[in-house]
Amino acid sequence: MATPVQFWFEFASTYSYPAAMRAADVAAARGVTLRWRPFLLGPIFGDQGLADSPFNIYPVKGAYMWRDLERICARLGVPFRRPDPFPQNGLLGARVATALSDEARPRFVRALYSAEFARGETISDPAVVRAALEAADCDATAMERAQSQAVKDALRAATDEARALGVFGAPSFTVGDELFWGNDRLDEAMDWALKP
Amino acid sequence: MATPVQFWFEFASTYSYPAAMRAADVAAARGVTLRWRPFLLGPIFGDQGLADSPFNIYPVKGAYMWRDLERICARLGVPFRRPDPFPQNGLLGARVATALSDEARPRFVRALYSAEFARGETISDPAVVRAALEAADCDATAMERAQSQAVKDALRAATDEARALGVFGAPSFTVGDELFWGNDRLDEAMDWALKP
């Protein structure tokens, strides 16, 4: 029996987009349970003294990231459009994802990432989030539940859990205490989960 | 006919170690010509306002890198020992690598990376560099040629060329103007070189 893989994603994160679009298929093909874990990178970047995306702080690296992401999306066969401004504020999306059931969450997450990185929409706009819920055939009342204290606390607790696991960027995958960072490490995380 | 792949490496760079140990085999298996390009990351990090390795500036990321590198080396079947202090000063090694012939360079590069990351030796020590030349069956006079103005100028020109290509870290691979960053992108660089 494989250990479940925790998939830590943040809506502001560019490489979380291709990871979100392929993670369920990869996990199903490998027979591994995937747990979709929204969290917030802002507080964790804050711990590191980063007040903005590292891709904005280091623009030469940022230029490379956009080209690399374009190539990754082309290979994966998913559309790509750079959102402006970058990074987007993913707080509302993360709260809504937290409010949803484990069954509904992946559909919403893919729909909201598509709005952001396939169509370049502004995901801090409640209308965009609402449209993603609808496109993903999810319960629209998640918009209201997202503002409850219970959901805010759960998202904060998830961010604390990620920090305690050593997560410093997104996407990340954890298998027990073992951390894998980046879309590039999805398959290795699956290998780890399947170790005897 | 495949476009040659330029392999940009820096002796201070951790992920350049597994890349250097496998790059020749991967390129040969794919029928691609690999050009081994020593350069210096220091001036390029300086452009970005980085006065130390990002793995020291961001220690949570650094802790992950060491664990990730350990896993990568285990999968590759190469020994790993963390050098102390980190980063090592790779200037002498880069000059010696520059002074060598294209034919001899890969053997020396692998020998010096092994000293640094398989045995944890101090590669700024001329005795360690000399031993790597000997282990790699390379011309020992490269130690003296390394201090010539021509070699110093050639290494500076290589660093300028890397910067102009958008290189911001190591290892990097370029195919024409197309940049691929990281040991993880070696195979994708080969794919690019083989595109019709």
Side-chain angles (χ1 to χ4, degrees):
Chain A
M1 183 76 189
T3 313
V5 171
Q6 313 279 328
F7 168 31
W8 299 92
F9 59 92
E10 144 77 75
F11 282 110
S13 152
T14 54
Y15 288 106
S16 292
Y17 166 51
M21 301 313 277
R22 71 193 188 96
D25 289 346
V26 171
R30 305 290 301 271
V32 171
T33 301
L34 196 67
R35 302 243 160 90
W36 292 61
R37 307 293 309 268
F39 78 111
L40 296 178
L41 260 182
I44 288 176
F45 279 174
D47 296 344
Q48 302 173 53
L50 295 166
D52 191 359
S53 165
F55 297 127
N56 289 341
I57 296 172
Y58 304 110
V60 178
K61 189 173 187 173
Y64 170 78
M65 177 276 291
W66 291 114
R67 175 63 181 142
D68 190 45
L69 189 65
E70 189 177 36
R71 289 188 307 232
I72 289 169
C73 290
R75 285 166 79 106
L76 192 59
V78 299
F80 169 66
R81 184 167 162 184
R82 181 173 167 169
D84 181 26
F86 172 80
Q88 296 275 309
N89 184 333
L91 176 62
L92 176 60
R95 285 181 175 164
V96 170
T98 302
L100 288 168
S101 69
D102 291 347
E103 182 272 332
R105 187 175 306 117
R107 296 199 306 274
F108 166 73
V109 172
R110 286 189 293 262
L112 193 61
Y113 272 120
S114 293
E116 183 181 14
F117 289 109
R119 300 190 299 276
E121 294 174 10
T122 298
I123 61 163
S124 55
D125 179 350
V128 170
V129 176
R130 201 177 294 274
L133 278 171
E134 193 169 328
D137 198 20
C138 291
D139 176 9
T141 65
M143 289 295 285
E144 285 67 51
R145 279 181 287 123
Q147 302 305 335
S148 68
Q149 197 57 47
V151 162
K152 292 177 182 177
D153 289 349
L155 181 57
R156 196 169 296 121
T159 300
D160 289 342
E161 186 182 342
R163 181 191 282 114
L165 284 161
V167 169
F168 59 90
S172 288
F173 306 94
T174 54
V175 183
D177 287 339
E178 196 73 20
L179 171 64
F180 299 88
W181 172 52
N183 176 52
D184 292 330
R185 290 286 178 279
L186 173 57
D187 294 281
E188 197 181 338
M190 296 291 149
D191 293 342
W192 201 271
L194 289 162
K195 272 192 172 185
Chain B
M1 182 75 187
T3 314
V5 171
Q6 314 279 327
F7 168 31
W8 300 92
F9 59 92
E10 144 77 75
F11 283 110
S13 151
T14 54
Y15 288 106
S16 292
Y17 166 51
M21 300 312 277
R22 71 193 188 97
D25 290 346
V26 171
R30 304 290 301 271
V32 171
T33 301
L34 197 66
R35 304 243 159 91
W36 292 61
R37 307 294 308 270
F39 79 112
L40 297 178
L41 260 182
I44 289 177
F45 279 175
D47 296 344
Q48 302 172 53
L50 294 166
D52 192 358
S53 164
F55 297 126
N56 289 341
I57 296 173
Y58 304 110
V60 178
K61 189 173 187 173
Y64 171 77
M65 177 277 291
W66 291 115
R67 175 63 181 144
D68 191 45
L69 189 64
E70 188 178 38
R71 288 189 308 231
I72 288 169
C73 291
R75 285 165 80 106
L76 193 58
V78 299
F80 168 66
R81 183 167 161 184
R82 181 172 168 171
D84 181 27
F86 172 81
Q88 295 277 308
N89 184 332
L91 176 62
L92 176 60
R95 285 181 176 165
V96 170
T98 302
L100 288 168
S101 69
D102 291 346
E103 183 271 333
R105 187 175 304 117
R107 295 199 306 275
F108 166 73
V109 172
R110 285 188 293 262
L112 194 60
Y113 273 120
S114 293
E116 184 180 14
F117 289 109
R119 299 191 299 277
E121 294 174 10
T122 299
I123 62 163
S124 55
D125 180 349
V128 169
V129 176
R130 200 177 293 272
L133 278 171
E134 194 169 329
D137 200 19
C138 292
D139 177 8
T141 66
M143 288 295 286
E144 285 66 52
R145 279 181 287 122
Q147 302 304 335
S148 69
Q149 197 57 47
V151 163
K152 291 178 182 177
D153 289 349
L155 181 58
R156 198 169 294 121
T159 300
D160 289 343
E161 186 183 341
R163 181 191 281 114
L165 284 161
V167 169
F168 59 91
S172 288
F173 307 94
T174 54
V175 184
D177 287 340
E178 196 74 19
L179 171 64
F180 300 88
W181 172 52
N183 176 53
D184 292 330
R185 290 286 178 280
L186 173 58
D187 294 281
E188 196 181 337
M190 297 290 148
D191 293 343
W192 201 272
L194 288 163
K195 273 192 173 185

Short mmCIF file of all heavy atoms in Angstrom, two decimals, chain A residues 28-51:
data_model
loop_
_atom_site.label_atom_id
_atom_site.label_comp_id
_atom_site.label_asym_id
_atom_site.label_seq_id
_atom_site.Cartn_x
_atom_site.Cartn_y
_atom_site.Cartn_z
N ALA A 28 -2.96 8.61 -10.46
CA ALA A 28 -3.85 7.50 -10.80
C ALA A 28 -3.09 6.41 -11.55
O ALA A 28 -3.24 5.22 -11.28
CB ALA A 28 -5.03 8.00 -11.63
N ALA A 29 -2.23 6.83 -12.48
CA ALA A 29 -1.46 5.86 -13.26
C ALA A 29 -0.52 5.05 -12.37
O ALA A 29 -0.22 3.89 -12.66
CB ALA A 29 -0.66 6.57 -14.36
N ARG A 30 -0.04 5.68 -11.28
CA ARG A 30 0.88 5.00 -10.38
C ARG A 30 0.16 4.30 -9.23
O ARG A 30 0.81 3.64 -8.40
CB ARG A 30 1.91 6.00 -9.82
CG ARG A 30 2.70 6.80 -10.86
CD ARG A 30 3.70 5.94 -11.63
NE ARG A 30 4.67 5.29 -10.79
CZ ARG A 30 5.85 5.82 -10.43
NH1 ARG A 30 6.19 7.02 -10.87
NH2 ARG A 30 6.68 5.15 -9.67
N GLY A 31 -1.14 4.50 -9.10
CA GLY A 31 -1.88 3.89 -8.01
C GLY A 31 -1.61 4.52 -6.66
O GLY A 31 -1.62 3.85 -5.63
N VAL A 32 -1.35 5.84 -6.67
CA VAL A 32 -1.01 6.55 -5.43
C VAL A 32 -2.14 7.53 -5.10
O VAL A 32 -2.68 8.18 -5.99
CB VAL A 32 0.32 7.31 -5.61
CG1 VAL A 32 0.60 8.24 -4.43
CG2 VAL A 32 1.49 6.33 -5.79
N THR A 33 -2.47 7.63 -3.82
CA THR A 33 -3.46 8.60 -3.36
C THR A 33 -2.81 9.98 -3.26
O THR A 33 -1.75 10.12 -2.66
CB THR A 33 -4.01 8.20 -1.97
OG1 THR A 33 -4.59 6.90 -2.08
CG2 THR A 33 -5.06 9.20 -1.48
N LEU A 34 -3.50 10.96 -3.84
CA LEU A 34 -2.98 12.34 -3.82
C LEU A 34 -3.89 13.18 -2.95
O LEU A 34 -5.11 13.16 -3.12
CB LEU A 34 -2.99 12.86 -5.26
CG LEU A 34 -2.18 14.10 -5.60
CD1 LEU A 34 -0.69 13.83 -5.47
CD2 LEU A 34 -2.50 14.55 -7.03
N ARG A 35 -3.29 13.92 -2.01
CA ARG A 35 -4.07 14.84 -1.17
C ARG A 35 -3.75 16.26 -1.62
O ARG A 35 -2.58 16.66 -1.58
CB ARG A 35 -3.69 14.66 0.30
CG ARG A 35 -3.88 13.25 0.81
CD ARG A 35 -4.93 13.17 1.93
NE ARG A 35 -5.44 11.79 2.05
CZ ARG A 35 -4.91 10.84 2.84
NH1 ARG A 35 -3.88 11.12 3.60
NH2 ARG A 35 -5.44 9.64 2.88
N TRP A 36 -4.77 16.99 -2.02
CA TRP A 36 -4.59 18.35 -2.55
C TRP A 36 -4.61 19.35 -1.40
O TRP A 36 -5.64 19.55 -0.77
CB TRP A 36 -5.70 18.66 -3.57
CG TRP A 36 -5.60 17.84 -4.82
CD1 TRP A 36 -5.66 16.47 -4.92
CD2 TRP A 36 -5.41 18.33 -6.15
NE1 TRP A 36 -5.52 16.09 -6.24
CE2 TRP A 36 -5.37 17.21 -7.02
CE3 TRP A 36 -5.27 19.62 -6.70
CZ2 TRP A 36 -5.19 17.33 -8.40
CZ3 TRP A 36 -5.11 19.74 -8.08
CH2 TRP A 36 -5.08 18.60 -8.91
N ARG A 37 -3.45 20.00 -1.16
CA ARG A 37 -3.27 20.83 0.02
C ARG A 37 -3.01 22.29 -0.34
O ARG A 37 -1.86 22.69 -0.57
CB ARG A 37 -2.08 20.31 0.85
CG ARG A 37 -2.15 18.82 1.21
CD ARG A 37 -3.29 18.52 2.18
NE ARG A 37 -3.27 19.40 3.33
CZ ARG A 37 -2.65 19.13 4.47
NH1 ARG A 37 -2.01 18.01 4.63
NH2 ARG A 37 -2.71 19.99 5.47
N PRO A 38 -4.06 23.13 -0.36
CA PRO A 38 -3.82 24.56 -0.55
C PRO A 38 -3.06 25.13 0.64
O PRO A 38 -3.29 24.72 1.78
CB PRO A 38 -5.24 25.15 -0.63
CG PRO A 38 -6.16 24.11 -0.10
CD PRO A 38 -5.46 22.79 -0.15
N PHE A 39 -2.14 26.04 0.38
CA PHE A 39 -1.46 26.77 1.47
C PHE A 39 -1.04 28.12 0.92
O PHE A 39 -1.22 28.40 -0.27
CB PHE A 39 -0.26 25.96 2.00
CG PHE A 39 0.98 26.02 1.15
CD1 PHE A 39 2.13 26.68 1.58
CD2 PHE A 39 1.00 25.42 -0.10
CE1 PHE A 39 3.27 26.73 0.80
CE2 PHE A 39 2.14 25.47 -0.90
CZ PHE A 39 3.28 26.12 -0.45
N LEU A 40 -0.49 28.96 1.77
CA LEU A 40 -0.08 30.30 1.35
C LEU A 40 1.44 30.43 1.41
O LEU A 40 2.06 30.17 2.44
CB LEU A 40 -0.72 31.37 2.25
CG LEU A 40 -2.25 31.45 2.19
CD1 LEU A 40 -2.75 32.52 3.16
CD2 LEU A 40 -2.76 31.73 0.77
N LEU A 41 2.03 30.85 0.30
CA LEU A 41 3.47 31.05 0.25
C LEU A 41 3.89 32.37 0.89
O LEU A 41 5.02 32.49 1.37
CB LEU A 41 3.95 31.06 -1.21
CG LEU A 41 4.57 29.79 -1.74
CD1 LEU A 41 5.03 30.01 -3.17
CD2 LEU A 41 5.75 29.33 -0.88
N GLY A 42 2.99 33.36 0.88
CA GLY A 42 3.35 34.70 1.38
C GLY A 42 4.03 34.67 2.75
O GLY A 42 5.13 35.20 2.91
N PRO A 43 3.39 34.03 3.76
CA PRO A 43 4.01 34.01 5.09
C PRO A 43 5.36 33.27 5.09
O PRO A 43 6.27 33.64 5.84
CB PRO A 43 2.99 33.24 5.94
CG PRO A 43 1.69 33.31 5.19
CD PRO A 43 2.04 33.43 3.75
N ILE A 44 5.49 32.25 4.24
CA ILE A 44 6.73 31.47 4.20
C ILE A 44 7.82 32.28 3.49
O ILE A 44 8.98 32.30 3.94
CB ILE A 44 6.46 30.09 3.54
CG1 ILE A 44 5.64 29.23 4.52
CG2 ILE A 44 7.76 29.40 3.12
CD1 ILE A 44 5.20 27.88 4.00
N PHE A 45 7.47 32.97 2.41
CA PHE A 45 8.43 33.90 1.79
C PHE A 45 8.82 34.98 2.80
O PHE A 45 9.98 35.39 2.86
CB PHE A 45 7.84 34.54 0.54
CG PHE A 45 7.91 33.68 -0.70
CD1 PHE A 45 7.30 34.10 -1.89
CD2 PHE A 45 8.59 32.47 -0.72
CE1 PHE A 45 7.37 33.32 -3.05
CE2 PHE A 45 8.67 31.69 -1.88
CZ PHE A 45 8.05 32.12 -3.04
N GLY A 46 7.84 35.44 3.57
CA GLY A 46 8.12 36.46 4.59
C GLY A 46 9.18 35.99 5.58
O GLY A 46 10.08 36.75 5.95
N ASP A 47 9.09 34.71 6.00
CA ASP A 47 10.12 34.13 6.90
C ASP A 47 11.51 34.28 6.30
O ASP A 47 12.50 34.39 7.02
CB ASP A 47 9.91 32.61 7.08
CG ASP A 47 8.61 32.24 7.77
OD1 ASP A 47 8.00 33.12 8.39
OD2 ASP A 47 8.22 31.05 7.70
N GLN A 48 11.58 34.18 4.96
CA GLN A 48 12.87 34.21 4.26
C GLN A 48 13.29 35.63 3.88
O GLN A 48 14.30 35.82 3.20
CB GLN A 48 12.79 33.36 2.97
CG GLN A 48 12.40 31.90 3.20
CD GLN A 48 12.16 31.14 1.89
OE1 GLN A 48 13.00 31.12 1.01
NE2 GLN A 48 10.99 30.52 1.77
N GLY A 49 12.48 36.62 4.30
CA GLY A 49 12.80 38.01 3.98
C GLY A 49 12.45 38.40 2.56
O GLY A 49 12.95 39.40 2.04
N LEU A 50 11.60 37.61 1.91
CA LEU A 50 11.20 37.90 0.53
C LEU A 50 9.86 38.62 0.56
O LEU A 50 8.86 38.08 1.03
CB LEU A 50 11.06 36.60 -0.27
CG LEU A 50 12.34 35.80 -0.50
CD1 LEU A 50 12.01 34.38 -1.00
CD2 LEU A 50 13.23 36.51 -1.51
N ALA A 51 9.82 39.84 0.00
CA ALA A 51 8.59 40.64 0.02
C ALA A 51 7.84 40.53 -1.31
O ALA A 51 6.78 41.13 -1.48
CB ALA A 51 8.92 42.10 0.33
#
